[in-house]
Amino acid sequence: MNNFIISILVIGVVTFSMGWMPFIAKKTRISFALFYVLIGIILYTLLGTKLPDPLPKNNNTIVLHLTELVVIISLMSAGIKIDIPFSLKKWSVSLRLVCIAMTLCVVFAAILGYFYLDLNLATAVLLASVLAPTDPVLASDVQVGPPNHKSNSFHKFTLTTEAGLNDGLAFPFTWLAITLAMISVGKEESIVEWFAFHVLYQIIAGVILGYGLGKLVGYILFNISKKLKLIKRLDSFLALSLTLLVYGFTELIHGYGFIAVFVSAITLRHYEKDHEYHRSLHSFTEQIERLLVSVILLVLGGSIAMGALNELTWKMVIFCMVFILLIRPVFAYISLLGTNLHFKEKLGISFFGIRGIGTVFYLAFALNTWEFGNPDRLWAIVIFTITLSIFIHGLTATSAMRYLKRNLPESE
């Protein structure tokens, strides 16, 4: 039987089922991500080589660009639904998580990787860097609802903005690992150059371009189109067009495209904030995101079935569990000390540091940029960590969010 036709059939069935998955997830209180990983494991166990090779080490370039596309669409989707405009005061909790918690997670995960897993310094920093960002793709259960959704809570706002911000701000740490690897073999690289270019320039370029392009598109959509009476006839796919335009232009001048996309989405969101067109833009990006994510999760499950975890050892398992259950929650909670949040809300925000597609992208990017030792071990750790996060957070997210909603009415 034609393997391509089998693959098309499987993708069709899986993406078709995505239409009912939010309802099923709501009723079962289990994240849709968990269902698709399990389906992927079962399908690849039964069909094996009749489906495309799911192992990322054999498809690094494809994995890199597919996850890259999913992340930028997810960032646009997340940005469009954030109702609170950016300010240092209103976003202070999210900024604490990004600047304090994520940095501490990188430092302590790198220390564990170096001393406990016996990785060299560059590889240990790389592992810590790719695990650092929380994920806007698989975190829909703990994120805010559509634009102007009345029941959006502060803890959901915090987790949404954290995921949006740190998916771009994890890039400097990944480049730090690459820079250390280059220095270790005598390349003319320096930490000063890394800081000047990969930290200062690329972040600033991403923010400025994201804001400028978001304002420009907002003016075109809500000023010019309104005057010409076109806005009601505009298609929602323009959200995807903006995503690709902003990302492509920013990357062309070597800025951080992830940051630019998220900033542009927030900027556009608060241009004519109450206009109903924002819901259409969000709805389209969310649908595209869910379709692509269902396929990636299927492949993730397939990679497990086809041996992606063969290199996994008990030391690696312990490392992953410590990272998910100890390092992230503890340092996130520490970063929230001094805020006015209820301790239950601090616990909820700290615990739900979901890992996902962004982590896959960063590892694929690093391995595609420079040769690191033990890539099979790195993939095993990353895939197991993501799967562990999907299981733990996928089984608890809906119930935890409902509990916080009932017990923290002041946070609504």
Side-chain angles (χ1 to χ4, degrees), residues 12 23 47 109 111 126 132 163 175 212 217 224 259 266 269 281 306 352:
F23 173 78
L47 299 176
I111 291 172
L126 174 62
W175 272 113
V217 171
I224 296 177
I259 293 175
I266 295 169
R269 170 70 188 91
L281 293 174
M306 299 301 286
F352 287 102

Side-chain angles (χ1 to χ4, degrees), residues 110-369:
I111 291 172
L112 274 181
Y114 185 78
F115 289 103
Y116 180 66
L117 295 179
D118 298 320
L119 301 174
N120 63 50
L121 180 60
T123 305
V125 172
L126 174 62
L127 179 60
S129 301
V130 303
L131 292 177
T134 56
D135 198 67
V137 181
L138 301 182
S140 59
D141 295 312
V142 297
Q143 289 191 356
V144 295
N148 297 317
H149 195 265
K150 293 182 179 180
S151 64
N152 283 336
S153 57
F154 185 75
H155 46 271
K156 285 190 173 184
F157 160 77
T158 299
L159 289 167
T160 305
T161 50
E162 180 201 7
L165 289 170
N166 68 19
D167 240 342
L169 294 174
F171 238 132
F173 294 109
T174 304
W175 272 113
L176 175 60
I178 295 170
T179 301
L180 291 172
M182 290 179 173
I183 292 174
S184 69
V185 295
K187 291 286 184 179
E188 294 184 2
E189 298 288 332
S190 73
I191 299 300
V192 173
E193 291 174 349
W194 161 79
F195 184 79
F197 183 72
H198 295 297
V199 178
L200 295 181
Y201 169 75
Q202 291 194 284
I203 290 177
I204 293 172
V207 171
I208 292 175
L209 277 176
Y211 180 78
L213 291 172
K215 279 287 188 183
L216 176 62
V217 171
Y219 178 77
I220 293 171
L221 290 179
F222 296 108
N223 287 65
I224 296 177
S225 297
K226 185 183 291 185
K227 290 178 181 178
L228 298 175
K229 298 181 179 180
L230 292 174
I231 189 130
K232 290 185 178 180
R233 298 196 295 273
L234 290 177
D235 293 313
S236 301
F237 74 79
L238 288 175
L240 179 59
S241 303
L242 173 62
T243 304
L244 300 177
L245 184 155
V246 172
Y247 186 76
F249 191 74
T250 306
E251 289 291 321
L252 198 63
I253 66 164
H254 304 292
Y256 284 135
F258 285 179
I259 293 175
V261 168
F262 189 60
V263 171
S264 70
I266 295 169
T267 305
L268 177 61
R269 170 70 188 91
H270 293 278
Y271 204 111
E272 294 272 354
K273 181 180 176 181
D274 296 325
H275 200 286
E276 61 183 13
Y277 187 53
H278 288 293
R279 278 184 171 265
S280 298
L281 293 174
H282 171 259
S283 177
F284 182 84
T285 54
E286 185 180 47
Q287 290 173 35
I288 298 298
E289 175 193 351
R290 281 164 50 193
L291 289 174
L292 292 174
V293 167
S294 65
V295 175
I296 289 180
L297 291 172
L298 187 76
V299 174
L300 176 65
S303 70
I304 295 172
M306 299 301 286
L309 302 182
N310 286 351
E311 295 290 325
L312 200 67
T313 65
W314 279 111
K315 289 183 73 172
M316 296 178 193
V317 169
I318 293 171
F319 170 85
C320 297
M321 294 182 70
V322 167
F323 186 85
I324 293 292
L325 299 175
L326 190 61
I327 291 179
R328 154 66 192 200
V330 168
F331 289 126
Y333 194 90
I334 289 173
S335 73
L336 299 179
L337 294 176
T339 65
N340 294 324
L341 297 177
H342 191 281
F343 83 94
K344 291 182 179 178
E345 199 163 19
K346 290 178 184 176
L347 287 174
I349 293 171
S350 302
F351 180 72
F352 287 102
I354 299 174
R355 266 58 195 173
I357 310 303
T359 292
V360 176
F361 165 78
Y362 279 118
L363 182 55
F365 174 84
L367 295 179
N368 210 49
T369 304

Side-chain angles (χ1 to χ4, degrees), residues 18-73:
M18 200 52 153
W20 284 266
M21 195 51 66
F23 173 78
I24 296 173
K26 184 177 180 180
K27 287 295 182 182
T28 60
R29 300 188 183 184
I30 298 174
S31 171
F32 75 88
L34 182 53
F35 286 108
Y36 282 108
V37 171
L38 292 174
I39 291 170
I41 293 173
I42 294 170
L43 282 174
Y44 270 89
T45 300
L46 295 175
L47 299 176
T49 56
K50 294 185 181 297
L51 295 173
D53 185 354
L55 296 175
K57 67 177 183 179
N58 298 334
N59 302 281
N60 197 71
T61 301
I62 295 174
V63 170
L64 170 64
H65 294 307
L66 181 59
T67 53
E68 185 175 26
L69 179 63
V70 174
V71 171
I72 61 175
I73 292 174

